[in-house]
Amino acid sequence: MAHPVRSDAEVLSVASEGVYHRLVLSARDAAPRVRPGHFATLAVGGPQSAMLLRRAFSIHRADVEAGTVELVVAERGEGTRELARARPGDRLDLIAPLGTPFPLPDGPVSALLVAADYGSAPLLALGEEIKRRGGQVGFILGAATADRLYGVEQARALTQDVLVVTEDGSAGLQGLVTDPLAQAVKAIDATVVHACGPMPMLREVSAIALGLGVRCHTAVEAAMACGVGICMTCVLPVVGEDGVSRFVRSCTDGPVFDGARVRWDDIGTVPPDLEGAAAMGGQG
Ligand SMILES: Cc1cc2nc3c(=O)[nH]c(=O)nc-3n(C[C@H](O)[C@H](O)[C@H](O)COP(=O)(O)OP(=O)(O)OC[C@H]3O[C@@H](n4cnc5c(N)ncnc54)[C@H](O)[C@@H]3O)c2cc1C
Ligand code: FES
């Protein structure tokens, strides 16, 4: 459990990186609690706003000494557009850290980190942590276009094993992050894959990793209303260790899941064999 705290966080800086905005926030109480894979939520619009729901963001970095957390924000709708306009000195209502982090190895491992768009935000700190534990990492970073890539130089500072893939070929290889995946796993002899990005990508990455006999931990981005386990808007069908499928909350049981346990093809449905499905009236 993450033990989140709520902070009146001062915006220390906002930097544009490609199409993204990297916000550094003062969050002295939250920073020491953060592990790679945790997320944060921000209230948007101020006390009079009609935007009632908090917005969720992966925590990119936490610096305990500086007492800061960093978020990478892509403009999507009204809430993120407003965050992109934040200026140093503004204050944001932050809750962090939330969710489950990526599992960390006890010793040295070789890990492949795979991300699309801003999905790299939580993976760079994870890569640093794996290296601190004596392991090695490789990255596959992808996006539709070059300006939607995030963290390529940060990844290159960690390892020479960085593959860049864009759908239009404007940077790196042309294609999808899944195209070079099997080869990249073999090239660095990876025993685990960590991935963050859209659901269809995570489904494919999990399937490929599973086929290679490699564990795969996926950080999902399910639409979230409360972010703290109350409302059940974020549930996914997941197979438990007892073999029984249940809806689990991606905000508190995730967002990091063992990719082999998520029923990717059933997301958005109520599978009839799910525990409690009859009571929900679901027929798939
Ligand atoms: C665990 C998690 C981590 C995320 N990490 C990042 C990140 O690092 N950087 C980033 O830019 N975005 C991230 N997102 C997506 C981000 O939360 C949405 O882009 C944002 O909530 C959209 O708000 P909006 O007001 O701009 O858009 P609108 O579309 O106007 O939002 C309306 C409502 O829909 C919800 N919503 C819309 N799209 C999404 C979405 N894809 N996921 C979840 N809720 C959504 C919003 O929370 C809001 O309640 C993450 C989402 C989750 C769940
Ligand atoms: S977002 Fe409310 S339970 Fe997960």
Side-chain angles (χ1 to χ4, degrees), residues 216-245:
C216 182
H217 301 289
T218 55
V220 304
E221 185 184 310
M224 291 180 184
C226 75
V228 290
I230 309 294
C231 70
M232 306 297 278
T233 54
C234 64
V235 293
L236 300 181
V238 170
V239 185
E241 282 180 13
D242 56 2
V244 178
S245 294

Short mmCIF file of all heavy atoms in Angstrom, two decimals, residues 216-245:
data_model
loop_
_atom_site.label_atom_id
_atom_site.label_comp_id
_atom_site.label_asym_id
_atom_site.label_seq_id
_atom_site.Cartn_x
_atom_site.Cartn_y
_atom_site.Cartn_z
N CYS A 216 6.18 -10.42 -17.43
CA CYS A 216 5.86 -9.10 -17.97
C CYS A 216 5.00 -8.34 -16.97
O CYS A 216 3.92 -8.81 -16.60
CB CYS A 216 5.12 -9.26 -19.30
SG CYS A 216 4.73 -7.70 -20.06
N HIS A 217 5.47 -7.19 -16.51
CA HIS A 217 4.70 -6.35 -15.60
C HIS A 217 4.21 -5.13 -16.37
O HIS A 217 5.02 -4.42 -16.97
CB HIS A 217 5.55 -5.93 -14.41
CG HIS A 217 6.08 -7.10 -13.62
ND1 HIS A 217 5.27 -7.89 -12.85
CD2 HIS A 217 7.31 -7.63 -13.55
CE1 HIS A 217 5.99 -8.85 -12.31
NE2 HIS A 217 7.23 -8.73 -12.72
N THR A 218 2.91 -4.92 -16.33
CA THR A 218 2.32 -3.86 -17.16
C THR A 218 1.68 -2.79 -16.27
O THR A 218 0.95 -3.11 -15.33
CB THR A 218 1.22 -4.45 -18.06
OG1 THR A 218 0.26 -5.14 -17.24
CG2 THR A 218 1.78 -5.44 -19.06
N ALA A 219 1.96 -1.54 -16.57
CA ALA A 219 1.29 -0.43 -15.87
C ALA A 219 0.16 0.06 -16.76
O ALA A 219 0.41 0.61 -17.84
CB ALA A 219 2.28 0.70 -15.59
N VAL A 220 -1.08 -0.20 -16.34
CA VAL A 220 -2.23 0.11 -17.19
C VAL A 220 -2.72 1.53 -16.94
O VAL A 220 -2.50 2.11 -15.88
CB VAL A 220 -3.41 -0.88 -16.97
CG1 VAL A 220 -2.96 -2.31 -17.19
CG2 VAL A 220 -4.02 -0.70 -15.59
N GLU A 221 -3.39 2.06 -17.97
CA GLU A 221 -4.02 3.37 -17.83
C GLU A 221 -5.50 3.19 -18.06
O GLU A 221 -5.99 3.32 -19.17
CB GLU A 221 -3.41 4.36 -18.83
CG GLU A 221 -3.93 5.76 -18.66
CD GLU A 221 -3.38 6.71 -19.72
OE1 GLU A 221 -2.16 6.74 -19.93
OE2 GLU A 221 -4.20 7.39 -20.35
N ALA A 222 -6.23 2.81 -17.01
CA ALA A 222 -7.68 2.68 -17.11
C ALA A 222 -8.29 4.00 -16.65
O ALA A 222 -7.76 4.62 -15.73
CB ALA A 222 -8.16 1.55 -16.21
N ALA A 223 -9.37 4.43 -17.28
CA ALA A 223 -10.01 5.67 -16.85
C ALA A 223 -10.38 5.55 -15.38
O ALA A 223 -10.92 4.53 -14.95
CB ALA A 223 -11.24 5.94 -17.70
N MET A 224 -10.04 6.57 -14.61
CA MET A 224 -10.26 6.52 -13.16
C MET A 224 -11.08 7.72 -12.73
O MET A 224 -10.81 8.85 -13.15
CB MET A 224 -8.92 6.59 -12.43
CG MET A 224 -8.08 5.36 -12.59
SD MET A 224 -6.54 5.55 -11.68
CE MET A 224 -5.75 4.01 -12.16
N ALA A 225 -12.05 7.48 -11.86
CA ALA A 225 -12.82 8.60 -11.31
C ALA A 225 -12.23 9.01 -9.96
O ALA A 225 -11.75 10.12 -9.81
CB ALA A 225 -14.28 8.22 -11.18
N CYS A 226 -12.23 8.09 -8.97
CA CYS A 226 -11.77 8.51 -7.63
C CYS A 226 -10.27 8.31 -7.43
O CYS A 226 -9.63 9.08 -6.71
CB CYS A 226 -12.56 7.77 -6.55
SG CYS A 226 -12.08 6.03 -6.33
N GLY A 227 -9.69 7.27 -8.00
CA GLY A 227 -8.25 7.00 -7.85
C GLY A 227 -7.87 6.39 -6.51
O GLY A 227 -6.70 6.12 -6.27
N VAL A 228 -8.85 6.17 -5.64
CA VAL A 228 -8.52 5.66 -4.29
C VAL A 228 -9.34 4.43 -3.90
O VAL A 228 -9.49 4.14 -2.71
CB VAL A 228 -8.64 6.76 -3.22
CG1 VAL A 228 -7.54 7.80 -3.38
CG2 VAL A 228 -10.03 7.42 -3.26
N GLY A 229 -9.91 3.74 -4.87
CA GLY A 229 -10.52 2.45 -4.56
C GLY A 229 -11.99 2.46 -4.17
O GLY A 229 -12.53 1.44 -3.76
N ILE A 230 -12.69 3.58 -4.34
CA ILE A 230 -14.07 3.68 -3.86
C ILE A 230 -15.11 3.41 -4.95
O ILE A 230 -16.11 2.74 -4.72
CB ILE A 230 -14.37 5.11 -3.31
CG1 ILE A 230 -13.31 5.55 -2.30
CG2 ILE A 230 -15.77 5.19 -2.72
CD1 ILE A 230 -13.29 4.75 -1.03
N CYS A 231 -14.88 3.89 -6.18
CA CYS A 231 -15.98 4.01 -7.14
C CYS A 231 -16.10 2.84 -8.11
O CYS A 231 -17.14 2.69 -8.76
CB CYS A 231 -15.82 5.30 -7.92
SG CYS A 231 -14.41 5.26 -9.07
N MET A 232 -15.08 2.02 -8.27
CA MET A 232 -15.06 0.86 -9.17
C MET A 232 -15.14 1.21 -10.65
O MET A 232 -15.46 0.37 -11.47
CB MET A 232 -16.20 -0.12 -8.82
CG MET A 232 -16.24 -0.56 -7.38
SD MET A 232 -14.77 -1.47 -6.87
CE MET A 232 -15.13 -3.11 -7.47
N THR A 233 -14.81 2.45 -11.04
CA THR A 233 -14.82 2.76 -12.48
C THR A 233 -13.62 2.16 -13.20
O THR A 233 -13.63 2.04 -14.42
CB THR A 233 -14.76 4.28 -12.76
OG1 THR A 233 -13.63 4.81 -12.09
CG2 THR A 233 -16.01 5.00 -12.38
N CYS A 234 -12.59 1.79 -12.46
CA CYS A 234 -11.31 1.44 -13.08
C CYS A 234 -11.07 -0.06 -13.13
O CYS A 234 -9.92 -0.48 -13.34
CB CYS A 234 -10.20 2.10 -12.28
SG CYS A 234 -10.11 1.46 -10.60
N VAL A 235 -12.12 -0.87 -12.93
CA VAL A 235 -11.89 -2.31 -12.76
C VAL A 235 -11.49 -3.01 -14.06
O VAL A 235 -11.93 -2.64 -15.14
CB VAL A 235 -13.12 -3.03 -12.14
CG1 VAL A 235 -13.34 -2.55 -10.71
CG2 VAL A 235 -14.35 -2.87 -13.00
N LEU A 236 -10.66 -4.05 -13.90
CA LEU A 236 -10.23 -4.90 -15.01
C LEU A 236 -10.44 -6.35 -14.61
O LEU A 236 -10.27 -6.70 -13.43
CB LEU A 236 -8.72 -4.76 -15.26
CG LEU A 236 -8.13 -3.41 -15.61
CD1 LEU A 236 -6.63 -3.58 -15.81
CD2 LEU A 236 -8.77 -2.89 -16.89
N PRO A 237 -10.76 -7.23 -15.58
CA PRO A 237 -10.85 -8.65 -15.25
C PRO A 237 -9.44 -9.27 -15.15
O PRO A 237 -8.67 -9.20 -16.11
CB PRO A 237 -11.63 -9.25 -16.43
CG PRO A 237 -11.44 -8.30 -17.56
CD PRO A 237 -11.10 -6.95 -16.98
N VAL A 238 -9.13 -9.80 -13.99
CA VAL A 238 -7.78 -10.33 -13.72
C VAL A 238 -7.92 -11.71 -13.09
O VAL A 238 -8.78 -11.93 -12.22
CB VAL A 238 -7.01 -9.37 -12.78
CG1 VAL A 238 -5.71 -10.00 -12.30
CG2 VAL A 238 -6.73 -8.05 -13.49
N VAL A 239 -7.08 -12.64 -13.52
CA VAL A 239 -7.08 -13.99 -12.96
C VAL A 239 -6.24 -13.99 -11.68
O VAL A 239 -5.07 -13.61 -11.71
CB VAL A 239 -6.47 -15.01 -13.95
CG1 VAL A 239 -6.60 -16.43 -13.41
CG2 VAL A 239 -7.12 -14.89 -15.32
N GLY A 240 -6.85 -14.40 -10.57
CA GLY A 240 -6.13 -14.43 -9.29
C GLY A 240 -5.21 -15.63 -9.19
O GLY A 240 -5.22 -16.52 -10.05
N GLU A 241 -4.41 -15.64 -8.13
CA GLU A 241 -3.48 -16.77 -7.94
C GLU A 241 -4.22 -18.08 -7.74
O GLU A 241 -3.67 -19.16 -7.96
CB GLU A 241 -2.54 -16.48 -6.77
CG GLU A 241 -1.46 -15.50 -7.20
CD GLU A 241 -0.47 -15.15 -6.11
OE1 GLU A 241 -0.46 -15.85 -5.07
OE2 GLU A 241 0.27 -14.18 -6.32
N ASP A 242 -5.51 -18.00 -7.33
CA ASP A 242 -6.32 -19.21 -7.16
C ASP A 242 -6.97 -19.64 -8.48
O ASP A 242 -7.78 -20.57 -8.50
CB ASP A 242 -7.39 -18.97 -6.09
CG ASP A 242 -8.26 -17.75 -6.43
OD1 ASP A 242 -8.04 -17.14 -7.50
OD2 ASP A 242 -9.16 -17.42 -5.63
N GLY A 243 -6.67 -18.95 -9.56
CA GLY A 243 -7.22 -19.32 -10.86
C GLY A 243 -8.60 -18.72 -11.13
O GLY A 243 -9.15 -18.90 -12.21
N VAL A 244 -9.16 -18.00 -10.14
CA VAL A 244 -10.49 -17.41 -10.31
C VAL A 244 -10.35 -15.99 -10.84
O VAL A 244 -9.53 -15.20 -10.35
CB VAL A 244 -11.24 -17.40 -8.95
CG1 VAL A 244 -12.60 -16.74 -9.09
CG2 VAL A 244 -11.38 -18.83 -8.42
N SER A 245 -11.18 -15.66 -11.84
CA SER A 245 -11.15 -14.31 -12.41
C SER A 245 -12.06 -13.39 -11.61
O SER A 245 -13.19 -13.75 -11.26
CB SER A 245 -11.64 -14.33 -13.86
OG SER A 245 -10.75 -15.05 -14.66
#
